[in-house]
Amino acid sequence: MVKFQDFQLSPSILKSLKRIGFEETTPIQEQSLPFSLAGRDIIGQAQTGTGKTAAFGIPMVERTDARVKAPQGLVIAPTRELAIQVSEELHKIGYDKKVQVLAVYGGQDIQRQIRALKKQPAIIVGTPGRLLDHMNRKTVDLSRIRIVVLDEADEMLNMGFIEDIEAILEKLPAERQTLLFSATMPERIRQTALRFMKNPEFIKIRSKEMTVPQIDQYFVKVEEKDKFDALTRFLDYHSPDLAIVFGRTKRRVDELSEALSIRGYTAEGIHGDLSQAKRLSVLRKFKEGNIDVLVATDVAARGLDISGVTHVYNFDIPQDPESYVHRIGRTGRAGNSGMAVTFVAPREMGYLREVEKTTGRRMRRIDVPSLKEAIEGQQRLAMEKIHAAISENDLSLYREAAEELLSESDPVAVVSAALKLLTKEPDRTPVKLSSERPLPAKRTAKNRKTSVKQKEAVNGQKYFRRKTAGKR
Ligand code: ADP
Ligand code: MG
């Protein structure tokens, strides 16, 4: 076990880390810190949820001088949510060193950002487009940047940000340290990194150490038309504290969250088309436990650190194994246990095998819970509520009524009735869900190479064709 104290860190940083509750390093932190603290460039690869933020956040805060009134650290992140999340973590790491951190991203009032930038925060975390915008307006001073980080580089590649990133890197001082962190390492990223880095150290945490042992991984074979009822059965049976349901498309996410709400679950969806304010408010509600089920697309949930997620349901199996690893990485975080259930249409079994090859783990097959099991699951929850109410509340005001009820009826009948009222019974309200075509049957390793964008286009076309065909 390697501790942060074993590294040459400033006392103020050790103090902040202690306050956050970080004592032992994660593997990517342990292996990268010796190099990053020595000023070396790094290309680091490790699965989502393994602590990459602190792996670069610690050397970045270490490198900044709070007395210098100019930005010295720059983090480029793919989405606003990630930019905000990273800036919050950097703020915590730099708290005792009094390092100012600012996040700048598209969708937020630019004048407000300009005013904040005038205060010369020591660290800026930004999305590529908005950073370039500020550079073109000359409202950000990057002349004293000493350390730059490309966070979630593979996602930035997927989103088409590579040219923007290159344009930003070209304008930074040559005398600087460059760190790149990513969950996967496509060739294009490696190439870009090498062009802008000096003799980088490659650090890769292998996928064996990657898979999170506490996540129980299951799959269930289910036809497209039966998926939604299967999902509600699972939700009733498992009664998760916090669940994330992944859907393949934005439409799917909208329809699923709507349908779940109709059936009485507190559910909301997030995807790329929602306004920033909406996405943030949904995430906040979820983190605070005011929503039980979050429905999301891959991109919207990518890299988000949401703790306390107990169940992940892959309503649609992801197209590539990497997405699967990212999705289930939302649960079982920081030593908590978690469960992942992947819905597979019969012809999608090839995709399941691909996923298993990547994670090196077999998923166990389970069946859709029966109606009886679903009701039992909800009853269990009602019983837990009653137990909690007995131990946590003063019930003296209720005793008289209880005694009256018990004197009039059979005690088992009274408790059964109370349980029934507390139990969310399976709801059969009809809901509307457009059917999504299962992924094309997988035969060769070749069709895996198709880019995500191409695949989306292909699926979109197919869906369209089928839809029109159905109307005839
Ligand atoms: P990644 O960027 O690799 O996806 P994050 O940096 O978001 O991962 O970290 C995932 C979670 O682990 C966060 O909640 C973070 O606070 C926590 N974490 C990171 N490093 C440590 C550590 N050394 N000890 C305990 N928790 C940690
Ligand atoms: Mg991250």
Side-chain angles (χ1 to χ4, degrees):
M1 288 299 153
V2 179
K3 303 203 163 198
F4 285 108
Q5 289 156 355
D6 304 335
F7 293 93
Q8 297 284 326
L9 298 176
S10 316
S12 63
I13 293 182
L14 284 174
K15 193 172 166 195
S16 298
L17 290 175
K18 192 167 173 209
R19 174 178 297 118
I20 309 170
F22 290 4
E23 282 176 25
E24 285 162 9
T25 54
T26 66
I28 184 74
Q29 292 162 0
E30 177 191 336
Q31 293 187 34
S32 64
L33 281 173
F35 297 100
S36 57
L37 290 171
R40 287 278 308 277
D41 284 1
I42 285 180
I43 299 184
Q45 182 182 354
Q47 190 204 353
T48 301
T50 53
K52 296 192 287 297
T53 317
F56 64 74
I58 291 170
M60 178 169 276
V61 170
E62 194 64 79
R63 216 134 248 273
T64 52
D65 184 341
R67 291 164 305 183
V68 174
K69 279 280 158 223
Q72 301 150 64
L74 176 69
V75 181
I76 310 177
T79 62
R80 342 164 171 167
E81 284 79 9
L82 281 170
I84 292 170
Q85 192 173 294
V86 167
S87 69
E88 283 170 355
E89 184 144 335
L90 293 183
H91 171 76
K92 287 185 203 160
I93 296 171
Y95 185 82
D96 292 277
K97 199 172 169 183
K98 303 201 167 34
V99 171
Q100 300 296 322
V101 184
L102 177 69
V104 294
Y105 41 84
Q108 195 190 38
D109 177 22
I110 195 153
Q111 293 305 330
R112 194 173 133 196
Q113 288 176 1
I114 291 172
R115 282 195 298 278
L117 284 167
K118 280 211 177 108
K119 294 188 189 143
Q120 305 287 14
I123 295 175
I124 296 172
V125 185
T127 50
R130 186 51 69 98
L131 276 172
L132 270 181
D133 198 353
H134 282 295
M135 288 166 73
N136 292 334
R137 289 167 185 250
K138 305 211 180 336
T139 46
V140 62
D141 171 15
L142 299 179
S143 65
R144 304 199 53 184
I145 294 292
R146 304 175 64 197
I147 173 167
V148 59
V149 173
L150 308 183
D151 190 23
E152 312 270 349
D154 52 353
E155 190 58 20
M156 295 205 278
L157 174 76
N158 284 341
M159 295 174 78
F161 285 146
I162 286 288
E163 275 101 31
D164 288 354
I165 290 166
E166 291 175 348
I168 297 170
L169 291 177
E170 269 159 15
K171 303 254 166 55
L172 297 180
E175 271 305 304
R176 59 145 206 271
Q177 184 180 8
T178 309
L179 309 179
L180 180 148
F181 284 91
S182 193
T184 61
M185 200 59 64
E187 191 49 32
R188 180 78 207 275
I189 296 207
R190 191 186 287 266
Q191 293 304 336
T192 305
L194 288 173
R195 270 183 49 214
F196 290 93
M197 290 178 144
K198 290 184 219 81
N199 182 28
E201 181 72 25
F202 283 88
I203 294 160
K204 180 174 178 178
I205 307 299
R206 285 182 308 114
S207 34
K208 260 224 182 97
E209 302 162 49
M210 246 169 59
T211 37
V212 189
Q214 297 94 328
I215 302 179
D216 294 321
Q217 300 176 49
Y218 300 94
F219 77 92
V220 55
K221 253 190 179 172
V222 56
E223 298 279 358
E224 166 71 21
K225 64 177 174 33
D226 300 323
K227 277 181 171 181
F228 187 71
D229 286 322
L231 175 65
T232 58
R233 284 278 174 84
F234 276 114
L235 287 172
D236 290 343
Y237 181 51
H238 294 150
S239 51
D241 282 346
L242 285 181
I244 302 186
V245 175
F246 282 99
R248 191 171 296 143
T249 61
K250 294 165 187 169
R251 180 195 59 177
R252 185 75 140 184
V253 164
D254 283 336
E255 291 186 358
L256 268 175
S257 51
E258 174 78 25
L260 284 169
S261 304
I262 290 173
R263 291 262 177 108
Y265 304 88
T266 49
E268 285 205 53
I270 54 165
H271 56 62
D273 278 0
L274 299 177
S275 73
Q276 172 214 351
K278 177 72 184 166
R279 285 160 78 176
L280 289 177
S281 95
V282 170
L283 277 176
R284 188 168 352 95
K285 279 198 259 179
F286 187 62
K287 284 184 182 177
E288 288 167 359
N290 296 327
I291 300 173
D292 298 331
V293 185
L294 180 71
V295 189
T297 55
D298 284 305
V299 171
R302 185 71 185 267
L304 291 178
D305 175 36
I306 307 163
S307 55
V309 175
T310 51
H311 293 71
V312 167
Y313 300 95
N314 292 313
F315 193 79
D316 298 309
I317 188 170
Q319 316 212 359
D320 55 291
E322 286 79 16
S323 301
Y324 176 84
V325 174
H326 285 296
R327 287 181 178 188
I328 70 162
R330 308 296 98 220
T331 181
R333 295 205 132 194
N336 294 321
S337 63
M339 177 180 207
V341 181
T342 300
F343 290 37
V344 197
R347 61 184 273 195
E348 292 173 330
M349 286 304 286
Y351 290 84
L352 190 81
R353 299 294 168 230
E354 285 288 325
V355 168
E356 289 182 331
K357 257 193 252 160
T358 302
T359 60
R361 294 258 302 268
R362 290 298 288 256
M363 288 185 228
R364 268 192 291 162
R365 180 172 176 170
I366 44 170
D367 292 322
V368 177
S370 64
L371 181 63
K372 186 164 169 276
E373 286 171 322
I375 294 173
E376 280 168 6
Q378 289 303 296
Q379 280 180 351
R380 235 183 10 247
L381 193 66
M383 283 164 67
E384 279 168 23
K385 282 186 198 159
I386 290 182
H387 280 300
I390 292 173
S391 58
E392 288 159 20
N393 293 291
D394 173 9
L395 299 171
S396 55
L397 285 173
Y398 293 82
R399 289 199 84 93
E400 211 172 302
E403 275 159 17
E404 192 180 326
L405 275 172
L406 287 171
S407 71
E408 290 160 359
S409 315
D410 165 43
V412 175
V414 171
V415 178
S416 305
L419 272 176
K420 181 175 162 63
L421 293 175
L422 273 176
T423 301
K424 177 187 172 301
E425 291 185 350
D427 182 337
R428 305 281 183 89
T429 316
V431 296
K432 183 190 148 293
L433 206 65
S434 319
S435 85
E436 190 88 13
R437 197 185 180 82
L439 292 176
K442 199 176 196 80
R443 294 231 167 64
T444 60
K446 226 171 119 196
N447 55 15
R448 250 188 79 204
K449 300 233 167 82
T450 336
S451 80
V452 174
K453 266 195 190 128
Q454 274 171 318
K455 271 193 218 152
E456 265 166 18
V458 170
N459 284 338
Q461 276 164 13
K462 279 195 182 145
Y463 168 73
F464 214 78
R465 246 184 267 139
R466 200 169 65 120
K467 204 171 157 193
T468 26
K471 274 189 190 150
R472 276 187 210 128

